[in-house]
Amino acid sequence: MSITFTGVTKSYPGSEIKAVDHVDLSIEDGEFIVILGPSGCGKTTLLKMVNRLFEPTAGTIAIDGTDITSLKVETLRRRIGYVIQQNGLFPHMSIEENIAVVPKLLGWDKERIRARVEELLDLVHLDQQVFRKRYPRQLSGGQQQRVGIARAMAADPAILLMDEPFGAIDAITRISLQDELLRIHKQLHKTIMFVTHDVEEAFKLADRIIIMQSGKVVQFASPGQIMAQPANDFVKQLVGVDDMQRRINVLKMRDLLPVQEGSGGPLHMGPDTVSVLHAAKDVLARFIETKAESLKVLDSKQRLITTMTLMEFMRKLGSMGAAHADDEAPKRTNHVI
Ligand code: ATP
């Protein structure tokens, strides 16, 4: 389902600050959207207005073109799964009972609930025999978060809102949960809005990233676009474009052009090499445009470096005349890609 924000503003009672300040956004059906920004910039407020845990002070939010205020809150929340950092599992209920909360509220019969619980435990890769009768306290943080995801998906919502769901999870488990979530997204095509202040997490997961600063959306674009064209210095700093740039400078053309050990010296690119590189430019441009999906299989660092390396490569080519060699580039060869 698509989600559209039009002029959405939120001020909390008694506060002069606009927690969310005139946000206009269009999220497509099935997109994985990450909301990224520093603490207090309005990420959670923006998210919670979608399932009406908070009401905007001004503006409208529409799901598939329908203003959410025209729906009953229960109807709306049934279409929207919600996962938070503290997973919110009921401690006195077994895993099975936790997952079944919403289906029970919806009056599903026992057999249907049982089948759904099994399906969901499979989906989040938890062994039913081991986990269904356990209680939350008998699970690790990562396992509890998987149950949190399963529970949010119980009534098959079209939209999943996730507020720093992996924030309290150790780094290694976090990576595997991110991978699981990408797999689930690929499988089920839910529209996901995912809050984080972790840049690497955002770049790994997102189709597009909403970058917020002081309640405003300062950029809404794909990870590749953000790295290539950060909207302003704040975005540049937040996503570490300069750090990436330094790494790229270290990598230079070295990783793009095969080199012979010990050839040393500055790279000299003759006109032939330059024209081959120019021919490659369009191929690389298409790669970035159309294969952004395939970058997802890389881990976030590899993906950033790959994207940035290609961007840098293209920028370099753009600034290089086909007729002359780049004297500043390190010399090695007449090698071609
Ligand atoms: P964090 O990453 O720390 O969770 P965030 O980006 O999610 O932050 P929000 O929680 O949306 O930010 O808060 C945005 C602004 O609104 C902040 O200035 C915050 O202090 C304020 N705020 C949030 N909740 C309330 C509230 N219930 N009452 C008053 N002000 C609030």
Side-chain angles (χ1 to χ4, degrees):
M1 284 183 156
S2 66
I3 310 173
T4 314
F5 296 77
T6 311
V8 173
T9 296
K10 170 74 182 175
S11 302
Y12 288 99
S15 166
E16 282 169 20
I17 300 167
K18 285 179 180 156
V20 168
D21 191 358
H22 210 92
V23 166
D24 293 309
L25 288 172
S26 265
I27 295 169
E28 310 279 325
D29 180 34
E31 268 194 301
F32 197 137
I33 299 296
V34 172
I35 309 171
L36 177 68
S39 187
C41 71
K43 304 182 293 296
T44 296
T45 306
L46 187 70
L47 195 78
K48 283 185 171 176
M49 286 191 284
V50 178
N51 60 359
R52 297 188 65 190
L53 285 172
F54 294 151
E55 299 292 347
T57 320
T60 53
I61 301 173
I63 290 182
D64 268 358
T66 304
D67 184 336
I68 56 174
T69 56
S70 70
L71 302 169
K72 276 191 180 166
V73 173
E74 308 83 69
T75 311
L76 175 75
R77 293 199 185 143
R78 234 169 271 155
R79 293 189 194 168
I80 300 177
Y82 183 45
V83 185
I84 53 172
Q85 185 170 325
Q86 301 80 5
N87 75 54
L89 300 179
F90 298 113
H92 59 284
M93 288 185 185
S94 68
I95 298 314
E96 179 175 30
E97 289 165 340
N98 263 288
I99 296 175
V101 167
V102 175
K104 265 190 187 157
L105 283 174
L106 294 174
W108 292 13
D109 65 54
K110 272 190 174 164
E111 202 35 57
R112 187 174 171 202
I113 291 177
R114 197 187 140 78
R116 184 66 180 149
V117 168
E118 283 177 9
E119 194 178 12
L120 287 162
L121 285 173
D122 279 349
L123 181 74
V124 297
H125 287 178
L126 285 175
D127 185 331
Q128 297 173 35
Q129 303 310 322
V130 179
F131 292 104
R132 66 186 302 156
K133 297 289 176 200
R134 283 201 191 173
Y135 286 83
R137 65 176 180 281
Q138 297 170 304
L139 268 59
S140 71
Q143 289 162 346
Q144 287 184 30
Q145 211 49 277
R146 282 169 198 263
V147 177
I149 294 171
R151 190 176 63 164
M153 309 274 275
D156 197 21
I159 295 170
L160 209 51
L161 304 179
M162 309 185 83
D163 196 349
E164 301 224 31
F166 310 144
I169 307 284
D170 69 88
I172 292 171
T173 310
R174 190 171 178 150
I175 288 169
S176 74
L177 286 170
Q178 291 164 349
D179 291 342
E180 292 288 308
L181 187 60
L182 281 175
R183 179 184 56 77
I184 291 170
H185 179 246
K186 212 166 182 164
Q187 199 176 328
L188 303 178
H189 284 287
K190 308 282 178 197
T191 307
I192 298 181
M193 289 183 76
F194 183 109
V195 167
T196 186
H197 53 249
D198 180 328
V199 175
E200 297 218 347
E201 184 163 74
F203 274 74
K204 174 170 179 178
L205 297 176
D207 292 322
R208 287 195 289 168
I209 301 174
I210 297 169
I211 298 188
M212 293 188 73
Q213 179 188 23
S214 308
K216 289 194 191 312
V217 172
V218 288
Q219 190 160 15
F220 181 32
S222 69
Q225 286 167 331
I226 289 170
M227 292 308 282
Q229 290 175 307
N232 57 22
D233 286 348
F234 167 79
V235 175
K236 221 173 172 183
Q237 249 185 350
L238 181 79
V239 302
V241 169
D242 290 340
D243 287 350
M244 272 303 145
Q245 202 57 55
R246 272 193 286 279
R247 283 193 233 176
I248 297 300
N249 286 343
V250 172
L251 291 171
K252 276 248 165 157
M253 304 297 273
R254 198 184 54 196
D255 291 353
L256 289 164
L257 295 173
V259 289
Q260 276 169 354
E261 272 305 308
S263 56
L267 175 76
H268 176 74
M269 288 194 281
D272 285 348
T273 313
V274 170
S275 66
V276 170
L277 292 178
H278 268 278
K281 183 177 158 188
D282 290 340
V283 176
L284 287 172
R286 270 204 305 281
F287 171 80
I288 289 172
E289 288 274 307
T290 61
K291 300 287 179 184
E293 188 66 25
S294 66
L295 290 177
K296 280 189 174 175
V297 301
L298 303 176
D299 75 30
S300 51
K301 269 207 187 93
Q302 289 170 327
R303 189 152 73 115
L304 280 175
I305 289 174
T306 306
T307 307
M308 282 305 294
T309 306
L310 293 174
M311 292 288 178
E312 170 68 8
F313 177 56
M314 288 165 63
R315 244 196 314 271
K316 232 181 161 73
L317 290 176
S319 64
M320 227 166 29
H324 37 75
D326 181 356
D327 290 333
E328 286 179 27
K331 163 156 185 110
R332 302 274 168 114
T333 85
N334 275 325
H335 291 297
V336 217
I337 292 179

